[in-house]
Structures are given as structure tokens and as C-alpha cells.
């Protein structure tokens, strides 16, 4: 086992000139950086960090969009044994106060010594610096290329390679400490799932680099194998999803991952006129992870894009989390994904019973554990359960974190990780049925929020994947609240959402609240936060983001300038 920096150095000796990072912009123009150029930039960045006083073990926060400068600081920090901490940059200008509060907590949790960003983002970070002022301040990423010759630092596979924040859907996110050995062992396990014919090929991703699926799942394999990774910023994908499919086609990418909502977004938003000449037959592994898999959405994607060469067998549901350095299970990449209907009441009582009825729920398999990994289903007394029994998912394997940064309590118990997810094995494959802290209690029965949330996706005007179902126990008893973000609304929309939920689940919500897009609270990786949604609603704080206009921008810049001034004082 080695380090990612050693892998990058080895990648520079490869013969293929196309290997490296290719960045695609809004106009679909590409800029390519072969690994030799990346290595040169990495050394310069490492030298500049050393000149700033950054030492081995120091944490360096990265607040950047998808760009080569992100890789400069990430790899440059690793070169000198510092710990890169990727954080999401401020993208939602209408919710800056919330962003600053969350990010300041993350900077403090990781004991960050330096923030690296770009001039545009730095202009609005004054309030963040006022809340948390790193010892070495903030620098502009482009300045990293002013470095010259870094002083060599001894690196071990067991040194911390990075800190990856957990999703934090139900609690404050924690900085997961991941070593080179752990991250690269996960890369090896993922690599072993690739058919031999697909080795040394091209991948494509629009996933943010501050998310483990985008960074460990895409960048690390490209360096380790090595190969080419074509990168699109998430903002570009969200604005125009067709760019993702056109880029896959143009560069003949064999693998490209995405969460479930992305497949729905493509089905709903892409016009036929945007797909002229597109050929998706190269796309052999369309990974689906990071959020619950909705089989119906995947079938619609297959139906829509089969005529463009997309193979139904390419859809590959997967399962993992930050504490595992990413992946734990993969489904087969050479067969149609597996799904079954299960009796909802039986699932709530702890047993998976197959059967298709009016109120059954369809779940997709996320496959079997990767090589070297083990999954157990356990009850509340921590006893292993047999196949078909529903319980908490525990995982064990070579890429599990040893703990969090700065001596926060470790999540590992006797070598096993409690994932906090609920699931079961059926026909020797893993199915995810919920998350412990998201379980809905309705009239004394436990229910998963996912099938209730998916039910409203079929209603016209609803933003797919942007709904939250929560249960609330008050003086009036147990009540089910469903919060739904819309693209366009109409008078009977809330009632139509209720009807859709009843038709699919047999459960009638007590309240359906329609919200403007962007209102629901989200984690740093974009996952919806159910508990916080309920808390904000009860406190009358569930309000839409402020409209972005020149006045809002001017106000944000003024507050930032004042924040910088106060921080200096």
C-alpha cells in the first residue's frame, strides 16, 4: 500500500497523453491537464503552503468550485502531509447566514489553520471569518502556483490523507479522518468491480469535489489506475442536465455516478433537440448512490434514453458513506438492477415479506459487499439477524475510518461501524429501507419516509426528490407532515399530493405544505434534513431563500466587508 501522492507521481510516467483531468465549462469547451502538469502544479502548491507556515498534520479548508485549483490545494496539502478539508462553497446567496453558521462549525470541528478560495468567493466570506478566524487566514488559490521547490516530507500510508465531513442529515456533521491506506483500499475494492475490458478508460462526473462520491469515487481512481476523468461543475449540470449526457457521449466515458434525483432530472428536463448525435452505448456503469434509490425513476430513465444507446444493464445501485471512505456494496454492472415489492406493514414489524399489493413498497437492491467488506444486520440489542429480518446495518472492512479529527468519539465498535441505516438481506443482496433517526411513527407503527416522499414526485409541478415527510407527536397526537417544494403551483396541488400519498402508501398526511424551491434545509452534500425541517416549521422559520438581486448582493458584500474589519480588530 502507498499514498495518493505516490500514485500521482507514478501516473506521470504513463504513456497516454489523454490521462489526467479534463474540465468542461458551460459552453462545453474543455481544458485538459495531463498528470505531468498536475504533478508540477502540486509541487508548486506544496511549496507555497510551506512558505505560509503550514506543516504536516495541519488542516487546510478548501472552498472552491470544480476547477484545477481545487486539485492544486488538495494534492499540494497531501504532498506536505497537511490535511485537506473540502467544504462546499456558498452557492445559495439567499441563505448566507445559515451557510456561515454551519461552515464556521465545520471549520472549528476540523481545527482549520488556513482557508483557500478564489477572489469571487472571498469577497463574501467576511462574516464567516468573523465567526471563525483561521490562524493563517485566507489565501487565493491561484497564488499557490507562485511556489517553487517544496521541502520533502516523509509520508506513510497510515497518515491522514483528508477529512471528509459526514452528511449530517440528522445531526451536526463530523470531520471523518481518512488515511491513505483506507481511501486507496476502497479504490482497489471499487476497481475490482470493473470488467477487465473497462480498465484504463475514461470516467465522467458532475458531482461536487467536496462530496466523497465525487472525490474518492472519481478523482482517486483516475489517479490510481490511472485514467482520464472529465469533470463538469454541479452548477452547470443543474442548469442544463443535457451537458452531462453529451459529455459522456463525446468522451466515451464508461463510468459516471450520480444520486437518484439526477436521473429524474434528466428524464424530465432534457429536450430531444439537445441530444442530437448523442450515443450512450459507451456508458457501462451508471452508478446510483448517495440517496435512496427509486426504481420507478430509473425505469423511466432507461425508457427515455435507450434509443440513444443507453443499456438498461448499466444502472448500478451502490451503497456507502463517508465513514467507510465511500463504497460498501455494489450491485452487478452486467445485469438489470434488482427490485422487489415488500409488504409495508411487515417491514414496519421487522420482517421482509415479498408481495405486490396496493400498499406494498418497491425497494431496489444495492448489491453485495465489496471484496474484503462485511455487512451485518443487527437488532437493538446488537445481535446479528438472519436474512429477511430488518435491523440496523453494521459494516466492517479495510477502508473504515479509525475515527474523527481532533479526538471526537470514534464511531467504530470492535472493528464494526454502525451506519445508522436500516435494511435487510433478501436473496443474499442488501436492501436499504430507511434511516434510524428518520423513522416515522404514525398511529403507533414505524414507517420509512422515502416511499411517502417518492409518492408526490408524480404530481405535476413538484420538484422531484425535493420533499420531506416527518412525524410529529403533540397534544393532538401523532401527526404526519409532508413538505413539498414546487416548480409551479396551482390551487389543488396540496390536495393532489395527499391523494398521491394515499394511493401509494395508504397513509393520509395531516398536513401537506407547499414551499418555494430552495426552502427545505439541506446538508453540505445536498441531502434534505428532515428533523431540521420540522424544527424550523415549528419555530415559524421555514422560509424561502431571499431573492437574489443586485440589492441582496450589495448587502452581502457590505456585511462581508464589515465582517473582515471586525475580524481584524
Amino acid at each position: 500500500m502507498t499514498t495518493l501522492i505516490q500514485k500521482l507521481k507514478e501516473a506521470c510516467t504513463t504513456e497516454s497523453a489523454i490521462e489526467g483531468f479534463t474540465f468542461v465549462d458551460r459552453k462545453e469547451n474543455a481544458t485538459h491537464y495531463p498528470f505531468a502538469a498536475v504533478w508540477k502544479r502540486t509541487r508548486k502548491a506544496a511549496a507555497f503552503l510551506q512558505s505560509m507556515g503550514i506543516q504536516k498534520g495541519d488542516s487546510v479548508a478548501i472552498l472552491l468550485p470544480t476547477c484545477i485549483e481545487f486539485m492544486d490545494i488538495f494534492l499540494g496539502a497531501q504532498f506536505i502531509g497537511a490535511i485537506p478539508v473540502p467544504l462546499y462553497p456558498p452557492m445559495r446567496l439567499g441563505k448566507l447566514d445559515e451557510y456561515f453558521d454551519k461552515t464556521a462549525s465545520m471549520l472549528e470541528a476540523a481545527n482549520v489553520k488556513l482557508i483557500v478560495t478564489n477572489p469571487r468567493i472571498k469577497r463574501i466570506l467576511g462574516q464567516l471569518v468573523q465567526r471563525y478566524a483561521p490562524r493563517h487566514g485566507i489565501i487565493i488559490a491561484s497564488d499557490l502556483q507562485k511556489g517553487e521547490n517544496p521541502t520533502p516530507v516523509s509520508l506513510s500510508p497510515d497518515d491522514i490523507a483528508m477529512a471528509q465531513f459526514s452528511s449530517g442529515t440528522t445531526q451536526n456533521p463530523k470531520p471523518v479522518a481518512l488515511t491513505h491506506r483506507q481511501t486507496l483500499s476502497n479504490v482497489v475494492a471499487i476497481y475490482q468491480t470493473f470488467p477487465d475490458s473497462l480498465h484504463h478508460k475514461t470516467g465522467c462526473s458532475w458531482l461536487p469535489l467536496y462530496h466523497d462520491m465525487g472525490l474518492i469515487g472519481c478523482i482517486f481512481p483516475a489517479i490510481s489506475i490511472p485514467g482520464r476523468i472529465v469533470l463538469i461543475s454541479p452548477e452547470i449540470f443543474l442548469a442544463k442536465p443535457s451537458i452531462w449526457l453529451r459529455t459522456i457521449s463525446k468522451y466515451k466515458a464508461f463510468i459516471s455516478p450520480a444520486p437518484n434525483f439526477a436521473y429524474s432530472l434528466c428524464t424530465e428536463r432534457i429536450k430531444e433537440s439537445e441530444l442530437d448525435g448523442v450515443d450512450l452505448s459507451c456508458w457501462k456503469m451508471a452508478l446510483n448512490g448517495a440517496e435512496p434509490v427509486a426504481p420507478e425513476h430509473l425505469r423511466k430513465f432507461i425508457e427515455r434514453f435507450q434509443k440513444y444507446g443507453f443499456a438498461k444493464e448499466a444502472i448500478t445501485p451502490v451503497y456507502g458513506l463517508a465513514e467507510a471512505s465511500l463504497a460498501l456494496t455494489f450491485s452487478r454492472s452486467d445485469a438489470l438492477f434488482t427490485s422487489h415489492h415488500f409488504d409495508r406493514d411487515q417491514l414496519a414489524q421487522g420482517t421482509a415479506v415479498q408481495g405486490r399489493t396496493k400498499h406494498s413498497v418497491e425497494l431496489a437492491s444495492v448489491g453485495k459487499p465489496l471484496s474484503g467488506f462485511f455487512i451485518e444486520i443487527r437488532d437493538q440489542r446488537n445481535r446479528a439477524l438472519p436474512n429477511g429480518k430488518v435491523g440496523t446495518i453494521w459494516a466492517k472492512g479495510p477502508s473504515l475510518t479509525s475515527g474523527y479529527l481532533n479526538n471526537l468519539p470514534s464511531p467504530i465498535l470492535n472493528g464494526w461501524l454502525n451506519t445508522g441505516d436500516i435494511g435487510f438481506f433478501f436473496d443474499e443482496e442488501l436492501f436499504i429501507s430507511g434511516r434510524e433517526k428518520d423513522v416515522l411513527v404514525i398511529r403507533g407503527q414505524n414507517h420509512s419516509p422515502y416511499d411517502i416522499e417518492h409518492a408526490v414526485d408524480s404530481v405535476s409541478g413538484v420538484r422531484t426528490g425535493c420533499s420531506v415527510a416527518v412525524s410529529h407527536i403533540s397534544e393532538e397526537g401523532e401527526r404526519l407532515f409532508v413538505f413539498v417544494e414546487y416548480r409551479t403551483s396551482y390551487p389543488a396541488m396540496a390536495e393532489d399530493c395527499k391523494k398521491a400519498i394515499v394511493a401509494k402508501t395508504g397513509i393520509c398526511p395531516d398536513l401537506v405544505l407547499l414551499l418555494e424551491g430552495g426552502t427545505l434545509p439541506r446538508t453540505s452534500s445536498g441531502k434534505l434534513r428532515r428533523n431540521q425541517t420540522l424544527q424550523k416549521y415549528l419555530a415559524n422559520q421555514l422560509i424561502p431563500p431571499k431573492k437574489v438581486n443586485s440589492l441582496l448582493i450589495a448587502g452581502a458584500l457590505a456585511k462581508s466587508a464589515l465582517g473582515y474589519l471586525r475580524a481584524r480588530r
Side-chain angles (χ1 to χ4, degrees):
M1 188 61 69
T2 181
T3 67
L4 189 67
I5 291 300
Q6 183 61 36
K7 288 288 187 182
L8 175 60
K9 186 177 181 180
E10 294 170 0
C12 295
T13 64
T14 57
E15 297 179 0
S16 175
I18 69 165
E19 291 169 352
F21 304 141
T22 299
F23 295 87
V24 175
D25 65 18
R26 294 180 184 276
K27 296 182 179 179
E28 299 181 57
N29 297 318
T31 305
H32 181 65
Y33 297 89
F35 283 126
V38 175
W39 176 249
K40 184 176 181 180
R41 295 179 68 96
T42 295
R43 288 177 53 82
K44 286 186 174 184
F48 192 84
L49 289 173
Q50 287 180 327
S51 72
M52 289 284 300
I54 299 300
Q55 301 177 0
K56 185 175 182 179
D58 287 346
S59 295
V60 179
I62 309 173
L63 272 72
L64 287 169
T66 299
C67 58
I68 188 59
E69 288 79 14
F70 184 103
M71 301 315 308
D72 292 344
I73 179 59
F74 186 89
L75 295 168
Q78 285 195 344
F79 190 97
I80 62 172
I83 304 170
V85 185
L87 300 177
Y88 67 113
M91 297 300 180
R92 304 171 77 189
L93 294 181
K95 288 196 170 185
L96 280 179
D97 287 339
E98 182 179 315
Y99 169 81
F100 292 140
D101 286 339
K102 286 182 182 178
T103 306
S105 296
M106 296 165 87
L107 293 172
E108 184 175 3
N111 192 20
V112 165
K113 300 293 196 303
L114 174 71
I115 296 174
V116 182
T117 187
N118 63 26
R120 184 165 170 264
I121 294 174
K122 184 181 178 182
R123 290 179 67 192
I124 61 173
L125 293 184
Q127 293 183 79
L128 175 62
V129 176
Q130 185 180 343
R131 289 167 168 83
Y132 181 90
R135 179 185 301 175
H136 296 285
I138 301 181
I139 64 171
I140 301 303
S142 57
D143 289 342
L144 293 167
Q145 293 306 300
K146 296 177 182 178
E148 290 298 334
N149 296 309
T151 302
V153 174
S154 176
L155 294 179
S156 160
D158 294 314
D159 284 333
I160 297 176
M162 61 178 292
Q164 175 69 58
F165 273 89
S166 60
S167 295
T169 54
T170 57
Q171 58 187 348
N172 290 328
K174 299 186 178 84
V176 180
L178 300 173
T179 67
H180 290 275
R181 185 186 303 277
Q182 289 159 352
T183 55
L184 292 179
S185 67
N186 202 261
V187 169
V188 170
I190 293 173
Y191 181 68
Q192 290 175 347
T193 68
F194 297 173
D196 291 340
S197 61
L198 299 181
H199 290 183
H200 301 277
K201 295 280 187 172
T202 296
C204 175
S205 174
W206 59 264
L207 296 173
L209 296 180
Y210 53 79
H211 188 266
D212 52 1
M213 199 171 182
L215 185 59
I216 301 174
C218 296
I219 299 298
F220 285 25
I223 294 174
S224 301
I225 291 175
R228 170 192 248 182
I229 182 70
V230 184
L231 299 167
I232 309 163
S233 79
E235 298 78 32
I236 291 175
F237 164 75
L238 292 173
K240 201 168 187 179
S242 58
I243 289 180
W244 181 33
L245 302 192
R246 287 202 298 273
T247 302
I248 290 172
S249 173
K250 179 178 180 179
Y251 293 94
K252 306 299 180 188
F254 87 94
I255 185 169
S256 190
N260 196 83
F261 87 87
Y263 294 96
S264 295
L265 195 66
C266 289
T267 304
E268 297 170 1
R269 293 261 303 273
I270 295 178
K271 301 175 182 177
E272 294 295 321
S273 59
E274 297 177 287
L275 296 172
D276 288 344
V278 166
D279 179 6
L280 298 177
S281 60
C282 59
W283 195 4
K284 303 299 184 183
M285 298 184 74
L287 305 185
N288 185 326
E291 64 183 31
V293 178
E296 184 179 350
H297 294 173
L298 298 185
R299 283 192 291 270
K300 289 180 179 178
F301 183 88
I302 292 169
E303 182 181 351
R304 172 79 196 278
F305 297 105
Q306 266 189 321
K307 61 183 175 182
Y308 295 99
F310 183 77
K312 60 185 180 181
E313 295 83 6
I315 293 287
T316 309
V318 296
Y319 169 63
L321 64 165
E323 286 84 351
S325 300
L326 187 59
L328 287 170
T329 70
F330 261 54
S331 55
R332 291 178 58 180
S333 60
D334 59 351
L336 180 65
F337 72 92
T338 301
S339 69
H340 296 296
H341 286 80
F342 297 96
D343 183 275
R344 182 178 285 103
D345 292 336
Q346 291 293 326
L347 283 179
Q349 294 173 25
T351 303
V353 177
Q354 190 177 3
R356 187 164 188 168
T357 64
K358 183 179 180 181
H359 299 310
S360 61
V361 57
E362 184 183 15
L363 300 176
S365 162
V366 291
K368 298 180 179 181
L370 295 173
S371 176
F373 290 79
F374 302 90
I375 299 287
E376 278 189 1
I377 308 300
R378 299 184 183 180
D379 63 15
Q380 293 181 345
R381 301 169 97 180
N382 208 22
R383 298 175 302 187
L385 294 172
N387 286 353
K389 289 296 183 180
V390 181
T392 303
I393 300 171
W394 288 71
K396 184 178 182 179
S399 70
L400 291 189
T401 178
S402 302
Y404 300 114
L405 281 187
N406 304 319
N407 298 317
L408 291 172
S410 173
I412 308 300
L413 179 63
N414 298 325
W416 288 83
L417 170 71
N418 180 348
T419 68
D421 292 316
I422 299 171
F424 56 91
F425 276 104
F426 187 84
D427 287 344
E428 299 184 349
E429 295 189 338
L430 181 64
F431 289 78
I432 312 295
S433 57
R435 186 155 181 83
E436 282 184 324
K437 295 184 179 180
D438 286 335
V439 168
L440 303 177
V441 181
I442 305 168
R443 288 176 282 282
Q445 291 288 324
N446 292 343
H447 297 273
S448 168
Y450 303 134
D451 46 330
I452 294 173
E453 294 162 356
H454 289 323
V456 302
D457 286 343
S458 61
V459 177
S460 175
V462 168
R463 298 184 73 202
T464 301
C466 296
S467 302
V468 160
V470 296
S471 59
H472 176 53
I473 301 177
S474 66
E475 294 178 355
E476 302 174 20
E478 300 164 330
R479 306 183 71 200
L480 173 62
F481 298 160
V482 183
F483 303 90
V484 181
E485 287 188 352
Y486 59 82
R487 293 195 309 272
T488 56
S489 63
Y490 54 91
M493 189 174 190
E495 187 60 30
D496 287 349
C497 288
K498 273 191 178 184
K499 291 177 180 177
I501 293 169
V502 172
K504 190 165 185 179
T505 69
I507 303 169
C508 182
D510 298 281
L511 170 71
V512 172
L513 186 63
L514 303 178
L515 304 168
E516 292 183 30
T519 301
L520 292 171
R522 288 165 168 80
T523 69
S524 60
S525 59
K527 295 180 182 178
L528 295 167
R529 303 189 73 169
R530 296 181 180 85
N531 289 343
Q532 190 178 6
T533 298
L534 178 60
Q535 293 166 10
K536 283 182 171 290
Y537 169 72
L538 296 175
N540 293 317
Q541 295 176 350
L542 197 60
I543 55 178
K546 299 173 183 176
K547 300 296 183 184
V548 178
N549 52 39
S550 57
L551 187 62
L552 176 67
I553 295 172
L557 293 174
K559 288 182 179 179
S560 179
L562 182 60
Y564 278 122
L565 180 62
R566 288 174 174 169
R568 283 196 294 269
R569 287 179 178 175

